[in-house]
Amino acid sequence: MSEFHSEISQLSPATLWQFFDKICSIPHPSKHEEELAQYIVNWATEQGLDVRRDPTGNVFIKKPATAGMENKKGVVLQAHIDMVPQKNEDTDHDFTKDPIQPYIDGEWVTAKGTTLGADNGMGMASCLAVLASNEIKHGPIEVLLTVDEEAGMTGAFGLEAGWLEGDILLNTDSEQEGEVYMGCAGGIDGAMTFNIAREASRLITRCVS
């Protein structure tokens, strides 16, 4: 990662923020994640990691255990690739083409006129930072990055049995600092019928003299 496009790449821990900076630079709203997914696949390939994709578009990356940790339980780190594309009314931004512009505002990292995409960009960045580290001692690690979480859970619904081997799944898409979720978000679609009573609307006008 030699190309950074914002000041957040100087934050610590460096690897985490540099990955997030790169993620921000590649457009990835829901249903438009392909460019970012391919960047991640290319990066993992360059690192010599086992990487593959399923028919739905989810990305899987495996890293073997460090020496002496081969018998530890395998851990799956899970995040989603897409982000919610929202902008201020006075902001000219095309989420399918334009990068997010993060900046540091006091103690916070935010974005110029748009959503930041920390959900789940920081989750992805943390997963990639673990994969990139040569200092962390660990058992077998798998990273699962799903697509289209924000707009239909397409990636999660399309996940096929047998792709994951780990015993523990840590969901990085949590909202509380310092808390770890051992599990994964899920969703279901439902159709419901209600009996309703209709009333004609009445228009009331008042004249003020």
Side-chain angles (χ1 to χ4, degrees), residues 63 65 69-77 138-142 164-170:
K63 184 177 183 180
M69 304 286 284
E70 294 86 355
N71 294 327
K72 298 295 184 180
K73 288 187 176 182
V75 174
V76 180
L77 303 177
H138 57 81
I141 290 179
E142 296 171 81
L164 299 174
E165 300 175 357
D167 299 286
I168 302 169
L169 189 149
L170 300 180

Side-chain angles (χ1 to χ4, degrees), residues 155-175:
F157 284 128
L159 187 62
E160 299 178 6
W163 278 74
L164 299 174
E165 300 175 357
D167 299 286
I168 302 169
L169 189 149
L170 300 180
N171 178 15
T172 66
D173 192 14
S174 60
E175 298 179 356

Side-chain angles (χ1 to χ4, degrees), residues 49-60:
L49 300 172
D50 180 10
V51 57
R52 54 187 174 143
R53 300 184 72 182
D54 67 7
T56 306
N58 299 317
V59 177
F60 298 82

Side-chain angles (χ1 to χ4, degrees), residues 69-89:
M69 304 286 284
E70 294 86 355
N71 294 327
K72 298 295 184 180
K73 288 187 176 182
V75 174
V76 180
L77 303 177
Q78 185 262 325
H80 63 83
I81 301 175
D82 60 318
M83 64 169 285
V84 174
Q86 294 290 331
K87 63 179 182 177
N88 296 339
E89 291 184 358

Side-chain angles (χ1 to χ4, degrees), residues 119-120 171-181:
D119 176 8
N120 193 222
N171 178 15
T172 66
D173 192 14
S174 60
E175 298 179 356
Q176 299 298 323
E177 184 176 1
E179 293 186 3
V180 175
Y181 282 63

Side-chain angles (χ1 to χ4, degrees), residues 4-11 17-26 28 83 93 98-105 108-118 122:
F4 309 120
H5 85 292
S6 79
E7 61 184 347
I8 68 169
S9 64
Q10 304 302 314
L11 294 172
W17 285 104
Q18 288 167 7
F19 271 120
F20 184 61
D21 180 65
K22 184 63 178 181
I23 289 167
C24 288
S25 75
I26 303 174
H28 56 285
M83 64 169 285
H93 188 96
D98 301 330
I100 302 299
Q101 299 181 52
Y103 68 96
I104 302 170
D105 182 10
W108 296 91
V109 173
T110 186
K112 296 179 181 179
T114 70
T115 44
L116 178 61
M122 284 302 289

Side-chain angles (χ1 to χ4, degrees), residues 11-50:
L11 294 172
S12 180
T15 303
L16 173 75
W17 285 104
Q18 288 167 7
F19 271 120
F20 184 61
D21 180 65
K22 184 63 178 181
I23 289 167
C24 288
S25 75
I26 303 174
H28 56 285
S30 300
K31 305 186 186 300
H32 297 276
E33 307 101 322
E34 183 58 31
E35 183 179 357
L36 179 54
Q38 193 57 55
Y39 164 77
I40 294 170
V41 168
N42 292 343
W43 174 83
T45 301
E46 292 172 358
Q47 303 304 307
L49 300 172
D50 180 10

